[in-house]
Amino acid sequence: MRVKNLFSVATGAFLVFLSLLACSIVLAEESDVISLTKDTFKTIVEPEKLILIEFFAPWCGHCKALAPEYEEAATALKAENIKLAKVDCTAETELCAEHEIKGYPTLKVFKDGKASEYNGGRKANLIISYMKKQALPARTAVNIENFDTFKDSDDKVVIGFFNADDQKEFNIFSQISEELRDDFVFGETGQKEVITKAEVKPPAVILYKKFDEGKNVLEGTFTKEELTSFIKKNALPLLAEIGQDNYASYVDSGLPLAFIFYDDDEQRTDLGKEIEPVAKEFKGKVNFVFIDATKFGQHADNINLKQTWPAFGISLPDENLKYPFNQSKEITTESIRDFVDKFVKGEITPSIKSEPIPEKNDDSVFVLVADNFESVVFNDTKDVLVEFYAPWCGHCKKLAPTYEKLGEVYKNVKDKILVAKMDSTENDLPPKAKFQIAGFPTIKLFKAGDNEIVDYSGDRSYESLVEFLDKNAHNKVDLESSTPEPSSSKEPAPTTTAVKDKHEEL
């Protein structure tokens, strides 16, 4: 009897296991994301008015992180009749090559079979919002029946109010709605009942938003620049968390960006209480954001702050200018107000990180630092070839012996052509350098005379570097007596190592 009971229990457990396994298989198959292959791609995609496709690789970490967000968005968008699909590029190599997929994940929006780049975020709510905007016309006609529903249809909705004689402003509004349709929902109206209900005098534009004061109003005549600035500056919250999904929006606003670094929720709350009054006072002049130091702590280096928390600093991303708040001082409402006030008035000079100028600089490759960059590079008499590198960069280490050989050959003519390098992890570019370094190594030629900058994009062989200087340098030199035997091998086409570390990047 006992054996029989045990057999019954074991059999029951096994049946439960099979049942659970069957359920898991069914659940695994029940996805609202359509899997596409070369054979099904055209038949599924081309008939759709709108569809979003993710090109991915199963081993890709970013793809794995996107997967649940993408699935959630696909389920939510079913109600809008907007489909989401995916292509496994490890299985569909030919299909992915046809669509010029260079990295993973790559998302593309297809409208009637025609592809365009996806410029939205990677969280479910951001994917949903972006695709809903794509389904709408650039502008929606607003009337008294749909006004309330429409102005609350998204986190940020822009409505223009016009009379018959406001053609100039209407044309500007129409143009802006086309340019910014990926980021905002636009509506337009000339109906008197709506204008009365909105309590505006045309021409007028209202930005309705589900945060802060709820709406911003622009009344009277405006230029394209004024309308663009009005929308972008008011579309950002007073104090919000910054991350990979919204960093570009803050940069695009054109305002200085004040970072509040914190490493736990309690610290974030305390800092918010101190800084919120300052953020309100300088709204429209400086954007304030929280930044999680446990994820993005390395970004403090980009503002010349030490990685100790809390910390505060202001940056001008487009100009690569940095204004770190003194970390020996306490972050209080008064201290931050004083710092931001002086910054806005132009009373604070930007911080430029630099290694000491070398006492001796007679090696084959000249060592540049921030403090001697302008005097050496921006001159009238010599061409200067500069490698911007990072000590940890594998591609830079591989280039080093070739670059040293190049410097040795040009050493005897360094009064005409100087071969130099700069550690970009320890030295900032001065304000006069109107460019930023996006990856390592980056090689640029600063020409004598007019200081024109020429980017090097050839392979990283000795021969190609010499050929580049022969072709592009302002000064012409004879290397016949000093050139060593050329290398018989060439390196592959160059790649650059993006600036990265153990923290996530913005």
Side-chain angles (χ1 to χ4, degrees):
M1 180 67 72
R2 186 181 176 203
V3 172
K4 185 177 181 181
N5 287 339
L6 287 173
F7 178 77
S8 297
V9 171
T11 302
F14 182 65
L15 290 173
V16 169
F17 168 74
L18 289 178
S19 177
L20 290 172
L21 180 61
C23 287
S24 67
I25 292 172
V26 171
L27 288 172
E29 292 176 350
E30 288 181 354
S31 170
D32 291 318
V33 178
I34 303 167
S35 292
L36 298 173
T37 66
K38 181 185 177 183
D39 295 333
T40 63
F41 192 90
K42 286 187 177 180
T43 55
I44 292 176
V45 174
E46 289 186 357
E48 294 295 329
K49 290 290 184 183
L50 177 66
I51 185 171
L52 177 64
I53 301 177
E54 176 201 4
F55 297 85
F56 76 100
W59 49 258
C60 162
H62 292 298
C63 303
K64 293 176 182 177
L66 173 62
E69 303 289 342
Y70 200 67
E71 188 70 48
E72 182 182 338
T75 301
L77 288 169
K78 283 175 66 177
E80 309 292 333
N81 198 28
I82 299 172
K83 295 177 181 177
L84 270 61
K86 62 183 179 181
V87 176
D88 181 351
C89 289
T90 63
E92 303 293 334
T93 54
E94 189 177 332
L95 179 60
C96 292
E98 180 184 335
H99 289 277
E100 300 180 341
I101 304 304
K102 306 295 185 183
Y104 309 118
T106 294
L107 287 89
K108 290 179 179 284
V109 177
F110 286 77
K111 293 182 177 181
D112 297 316
K114 295 181 180 179
S116 62
E117 294 302 316
Y118 171 82
N119 295 311
R122 292 186 182 179
K123 296 295 183 183
N125 65 314
L126 298 175
I127 297 171
I128 294 165
S129 177
Y130 185 89
M131 293 306 293
K132 282 184 177 180
K133 293 184 182 75
Q134 294 299 307
L136 292 171
R139 298 176 309 281
T140 297
V142 178
N143 53 49
I144 197 64
E145 286 78 24
N146 69 2
F147 174 65
D148 288 327
T149 303
F150 182 77
K151 70 182 179 65
D152 294 328
S153 62
D154 198 69
D155 286 345
K156 294 167 289 188
V157 176
V158 184
I159 301 180
F161 302 84
F162 305 100
N163 287 326
D165 56 351
D166 296 325
Q167 190 63 46
K168 176 186 172 185
E169 287 76 22
F170 175 77
N171 290 342
I172 292 171
F173 183 83
S174 300
Q175 186 177 354
I176 296 299
S177 67
E178 293 286 352
E179 293 177 3
L180 301 182
R181 63 174 300 169
D182 286 353
D183 301 311
F184 301 92
V185 173
F186 285 87
E188 64 188 46
T189 186
Q191 197 176 81
K192 290 184 178 179
E193 294 91 337
V194 180
I195 294 171
T196 301
K197 188 170 184 178
E199 298 179 332
V200 291
K201 182 179 179 181
V205 176
I206 298 181
L207 168 62
Y208 292 96
K209 54 191 184 182
K210 295 180 180 179
F211 53 86
D212 294 347
E213 63 269 55
K215 69 176 182 179
N216 302 98
V217 181
L218 175 66
E219 283 189 316
T221 185
F222 50 78
T223 64
K224 180 182 177 182
E225 292 73 21
E226 287 169 342
L227 179 57
T228 303
S229 177
F230 165 78
I231 294 171
K232 289 185 175 182
K233 287 181 179 180
N234 289 295
L236 298 169
L238 181 70
L239 272 176
E241 193 77 17
I242 196 167
Q244 295 165 327
D245 287 324
N246 62 359
Y247 178 73
S249 297
Y250 280 96
V251 174
D252 196 39
S253 74
L255 291 179
L257 192 49
F259 291 93
I260 309 161
F261 290 86
Y262 70 93
D263 65 356
D264 60 55
D265 291 340
E266 182 180 356
Q267 195 174 78
R268 186 187 191 279
T269 300
D270 292 341
L271 289 168
K273 291 176 182 176
E274 295 293 337
I275 295 177
E276 184 175 356
V278 185
K280 288 180 178 178
E281 184 176 341
F282 290 93
K283 183 173 174 59
K285 297 179 180 178
V286 179
N287 283 326
F288 289 74
V289 293
F290 289 109
I291 179 166
D292 186 348
T294 64
K295 291 182 179 180
F296 306 111
Q298 189 71 24
H299 189 67
D301 294 345
N302 297 333
I303 315 176
N304 294 345
L305 287 164
K306 295 178 183 178
Q307 291 189 45
T308 56
W309 324 116
F312 180 87
I314 301 174
S315 75
L316 293 173
D318 287 340
E319 301 174 52
N320 200 28
L321 297 180
K322 312 160 185 186
Y323 302 82
F325 178 73
N326 189 337
Q327 288 178 272
S328 66
K329 293 184 177 180
E330 185 181 359
I331 294 178
T332 65
T333 303
E334 291 73 22
S335 64
I336 296 299
R337 178 183 286 116
D338 180 64
F339 179 78
V340 176
D341 184 54
K342 287 179 178 177
F343 165 79
V344 169
K345 291 177 179 177
E347 297 175 1
I348 300 177
T349 56
S351 168
I352 300 177
K353 179 171 64 175
S354 178
E355 295 179 293
I357 296 176
E359 293 183 9
K360 291 183 178 181
N361 214 338
D362 52 7
D363 291 338
S364 57
V365 177
F366 188 89
V367 177
L368 281 171
V369 297
D371 286 344
N372 68 1
F373 188 91
E374 287 195 26
S375 61
V376 174
V377 170
F378 296 113
N379 71 89
D380 297 330
T381 60
K382 70 178 72 171
D383 297 277
V384 184
L385 183 73
V386 182
E387 176 204 2
F388 300 92
Y389 74 97
W392 47 259
C393 163
H395 296 299
C396 304
K397 292 175 183 177
K398 190 175 182 181
L399 174 64
T402 301
Y403 203 71
E404 289 287 338
K405 183 166 82 172
L406 184 75
E408 189 64 38
V409 169
Y410 282 87
K411 188 174 181 180
N412 293 332
V413 291
K414 64 182 180 182
D415 59 324
K416 293 183 178 180
I417 298 178
L418 180 68
V419 177
K421 64 181 180 180
M422 189 168 88
D423 181 352
S424 292
T425 67
E426 295 296 332
N427 298 277
D428 290 334
L429 289 167
K432 190 175 179 180
K434 302 297 184 183
F435 60 88
Q436 297 186 39
I437 303 301
F440 303 120
T442 293
I443 301 174
K444 294 178 180 285
L445 173 66
F446 299 80
K447 297 179 70 169
D450 60 4
N451 293 147
E452 178 190 355
I453 301 174
V454 184
D455 292 324
Y456 179 76
S457 58
D459 66 61
R460 298 197 185 109
S461 67
Y462 168 79
E463 296 87 352
S464 294
L465 287 162
V466 171
E467 182 182 350
F468 173 77
L469 288 173
D470 285 345
K471 179 181 178 180
N472 294 287
H474 176 81
N475 295 319
K476 303 304 176 185
V477 296
D478 181 10
L479 298 179
E480 206 171 294
S481 61
S482 57
T483 303
E485 287 297 315
S487 167
S488 60
S489 62
K490 283 194 173 187
E491 294 187 13
T495 55
T496 57
T497 301
V499 182
K500 62 181 180 180
D501 55 82
K502 65 181 180 180
H503 294 274
E504 297 180 45
E505 292 178 42
L506 289 178

